[in-house]
Amino acid sequence: MRPSSSAERRKYLRAYGYNRNCEIRRANNSCNASLVDISRGGMRLLLARDIANPPQLSPGEDVTIRVLGIPRETELAELTGSVRWKDGDQFGVQFTEPLRHGTAELQALISFEPDQGLLMIKRNSY
C-alpha cells in the first residue's frame, strides 16, 4: 500500500517518464518496468505487462534500477533503493540517497533521445 500522507509522497517535485523502460535487479533475478515518474527521493514504476509470472516485490526489498536508453555517464545509470509501496502492477522505490539533480534536470535526462543530443549532466558534476 502507498503511504497515506500526501506530504510524504510529494516531498519532491516529479519529472514524468513517459513510460521509459527500466531494468529492475533484485537479489535473485531481474525484470523490466516502465518509469512513470521520478523525483530526487524516489520513483514510481509500472511492471511490464508481458511478464508471464511478474515478480512479487515487497515493501522493504532492496533493488537496483537502470533507466534504459540514458547515457551511462549520468546519475540515472544505476540507482539503488528499496521498495516503499506496491499497488497492483505499480510500485514506488525510495532511493538510498536523494539524487543531486532537480526536477528540470531529471526531466531532461529521462526525455533524452540519442539523435537529439543532450547537455550532459555527469555523475560527479557537483
Side-chain angles (χ1 to χ4, degrees):
M1 297 298 296
R2 294 182 188 196
S4 58
S5 167
S6 62
E8 186 177 358
R9 288 194 324 256
R10 299 295 176 195
K11 184 175 180 180
Y12 300 106
L13 293 174
R14 304 291 194 253
Y16 293 90
Y18 307 107
N19 296 320
R20 180 157 300 269
N21 292 325
C22 299
E23 177 187 37
I24 313 301
R25 291 192 307 262
R26 312 173 345 166
N28 56 355
N29 61 23
S30 65
C31 64
N32 293 323
S34 296
L35 174 62
V36 176
D37 63 43
I38 187 169
S39 72
R40 292 187 63 224
M43 63 194 328
R44 179 168 46 130
L45 298 122
L46 176 66
L47 288 171
R49 298 195 187 278
D50 60 351
I51 299 174
N53 295 312
Q56 299 301 313
L57 296 168
S58 302
E61 183 174 356
D62 291 333
V63 293
T64 300
I65 302 159
R66 191 165 78 82
V67 182
L68 303 178
I70 301 293
R72 289 195 174 269
E73 301 84 25
T74 69
E75 189 173 22
L76 300 182
E78 190 166 280
L79 302 165
T80 59
S82 61
V83 176
R84 178 102 166 126
W85 58 267
K86 186 171 186 307
D87 185 6
D89 289 342
Q90 292 193 42
F91 63 102
V93 172
Q94 182 176 8
F95 299 138
T96 305
E97 294 289 328
L99 302 178
R100 292 182 299 270
H101 301 305
T103 306
E105 293 167 317
L106 289 172
Q107 190 67 64
L109 285 169
I110 61 176
S111 300
F112 174 75
E113 293 296 335
D115 60 339
Q116 294 179 1
L118 173 72
L119 174 61
M120 294 302 293
I121 302 170
K122 299 203 180 224
R123 284 184 181 193
N124 298 320
S125 63
Y126 291 81

